[in-house]
């Protein structure tokens, strides 16, 4: 079937997504290529995890061919997918679902590629020792990108010790030679931050609904030799990035990761080369370091 005959019905499944930039990015790409379609925000306040099978089936019945998945469904959707890409299977987390005409749902993860490409675009080399803040779906993807790109020692700080341990086991299985440790979100863990060259925040602290919060104490003093990244995107730097910048550290927001993961998802759905320049223009602000 030709591109002119295909209508690409796409969307984003998640909570607190009203301000997402994904519709602008994908709409710009569709328009640039002359493809028919639209990208919707798929948020139902009453949605519970046990309702996901019905919800996914409903989207298929409505003719959706692909959706992105964000918090809190990146791991929750796994039992309802008929297949996973090799990377998504290793990660046990997806951010992209392809809905095939035979009714099958295939899960992918483009967050790994998105984060890796954002570092490359900013000319940030992955050091041997990295601190990861958080242990959710985004943290899994970022950790895989880091451990695949030169990180040999990864420290993870998370409030929930059990969740951090699950991440540790997943990573250790995929990267048996890496040295992976978990630390509590207290003074012991915070002290470890001084020992690393790169800090990456994968928690929601700093996002719109938590804009006045930081995953680290406000009195924490970063080093000027450190690089601090946040997967949260937006016009303004998060509180964490402002903390770091005041101490002379180099900081990078999540704009690049959003852009590049979206480009990879778009290519999976449309089987075309993604017009990255058109997507970048749709941001309305630059992907940059501060």
């Amino acid at each position: 079937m030709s591109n002119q005959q295909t209508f690409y019905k796409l969307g984003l499944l998640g909570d607190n997504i009203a301000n997402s930039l994904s519709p602008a990015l994908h709409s710009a790409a569709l328009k640039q290529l002359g493809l028919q379609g639209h990208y919707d925000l798929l948020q139902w306040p009453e949605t519970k995890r046990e309702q996901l099978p019905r919800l996914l089936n409903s989207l298929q019945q409505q003719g959706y061919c692909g959706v992105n998945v964000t918090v809190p469904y990146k791991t929750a959707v796994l039992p309802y997918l008929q297949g996973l890409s090799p990377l998504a299977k290793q990660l046990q987390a997806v951010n992209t679902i392809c809905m095939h005409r035979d009714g099958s749902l295939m899960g992918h993860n483009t967050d790994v590629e998105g984060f890796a490409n954002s570092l490359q675009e900013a000319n940030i080399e992955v050091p041997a020792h990295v601190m990861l803040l958080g242990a959710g779906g985004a943290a899994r993807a970022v950790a895989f990108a880091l451990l695949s790109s030169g990180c040999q020692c990864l420290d993870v700080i998370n409030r929930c010790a059990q969740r951090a341990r699950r991440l540790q086991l997943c990573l250790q299985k995929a990267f048996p030679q890496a040295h992976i440790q978990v630390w509590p979100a207290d003074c012991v863990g915070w002290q470890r931050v001084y020992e690393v060259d790169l800090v990456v925040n994968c928690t929601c602290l700093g996002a719109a609904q938590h804009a006045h919060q930081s995953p680290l104490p406000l009195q924490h003093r970063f080093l000027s030799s450190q690089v601090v990244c946040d997967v949260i995107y937006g016009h303004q730097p998060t509180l964490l990035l402002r903390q770091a910048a005041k101490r002379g550290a180099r900081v990078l927001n999540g704009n690049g990761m959003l852009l590049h993961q979206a480009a990879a998802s778009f290519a999976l759905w449309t089987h075309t080369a993604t017009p990255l320049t058109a997507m970048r223009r749709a941001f309305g602000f630059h992907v940059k370091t501060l």
Side-chain angles (χ1 to χ4, degrees):
M1 184 175 290
S2 67
N3 288 339
Q4 286 72 25
Q5 295 173 302
T6 302
F7 190 89
Y8 293 97
K9 199 168 185 180
L10 310 169
L12 173 63
L13 175 63
D15 290 349
N16 301 310
I17 56 175
N19 296 318
S20 172
L21 292 179
S22 292
L25 295 177
H26 291 282
S27 296
L30 288 168
K31 182 178 180 180
Q32 179 68 27
L33 295 178
L35 301 178
Q36 296 297 309
H38 55 72
Y39 188 101
D40 305 312
L41 295 179
L42 307 170
Q43 181 176 13
W44 291 269
E46 73 280 3
T47 298
K48 304 296 182 183
R49 296 194 179 206
E50 56 269 21
Q51 295 175 303
L52 281 174
R54 181 174 60 82
L55 191 155
L56 291 170
N57 182 65
S58 174
L59 293 177
Q60 285 183 295
Q61 294 299 316
Q62 293 175 56
Y64 280 85
C65 58
V67 296
N68 283 130
V69 183
T70 188
V71 178
Y73 303 120
K74 288 188 177 185
T75 58
V77 297
L78 293 178
Y80 315 116
L81 305 180
Q82 283 69 55
L84 295 173
S85 69
L87 179 58
K89 189 173 183 179
Q90 275 191 303
L91 279 169
Q92 286 296 293
V94 304
N95 77 316
T96 303
I97 298 175
C98 293
M99 298 180 163
H100 299 298
R101 291 177 181 173
D102 64 2
S104 63
L105 302 177
M106 173 66 76
H108 300 263
N109 196 299
T110 66
D111 282 334
V112 176
E113 181 179 346
F115 184 71
N117 285 350
S118 72
L119 292 183
Q120 184 177 18
E121 183 176 62
N123 294 315
I124 295 175
E125 293 187 9
V126 176
H129 195 179
V130 181
M131 173 66 74
L132 191 65
L133 308 178
R140 289 190 178 209
V142 168
F144 263 67
L146 293 168
L147 292 167
S148 299
S149 305
C151 174
Q152 300 169 13
C153 181
L154 182 68
D155 287 348
V156 179
I157 293 181
N158 195 62
R159 289 175 296 180
C160 176
Q162 186 178 13
R163 196 176 197 187
R165 294 293 183 191
R166 287 198 298 267
L167 174 60
Q168 182 186 33
L169 291 173
C170 173
L171 296 175
Q172 206 68 74
K173 182 178 180 180
F175 302 94
Q177 303 304 317
H179 184 58
I180 302 166
Q181 299 183 92
V182 298
W183 301 93
D186 60 17
C187 59
V188 176
W190 298 326
Q191 188 64 30
R192 298 285 297 180
V193 178
Y194 292 113
E195 301 177 17
V196 305
D197 300 308
L198 172 63
V199 180
V200 186
N201 176 41
C202 295
T203 75
C204 63
L205 299 180
Q209 65 272 32
H210 305 288
H212 301 296
Q213 295 179 275
S214 170
L216 292 175
L218 294 181
Q219 67 271 23
H220 181 84
R221 296 176 179 271
F222 287 96
L223 306 176
S224 60
S225 59
Q226 290 180 311
V227 177
V228 181
C229 300
D230 204 321
V231 300
I232 297 170
Y233 65 86
H235 290 270
Q236 301 298 324
T238 60
L239 180 55
L240 174 70
L241 295 188
R242 296 199 301 273
Q243 283 177 263
K246 284 181 179 179
R247 298 296 175 183
R250 185 183 179 190
V251 300
L252 177 70
N253 62 22
N255 297 353
M257 181 177 178
L258 174 71
L259 173 69
H260 290 290
Q261 65 80 25
S265 294
F266 187 86
L268 285 170
W269 294 324
T270 63
H271 306 287
T272 62
T274 304
L276 199 59
T277 300
M279 275 193 164
R280 197 184 301 277
R281 284 198 301 265
F283 261 111
F285 53 94
H286 295 293
V287 176
K288 64 181 180 178
T289 56
L290 303 178

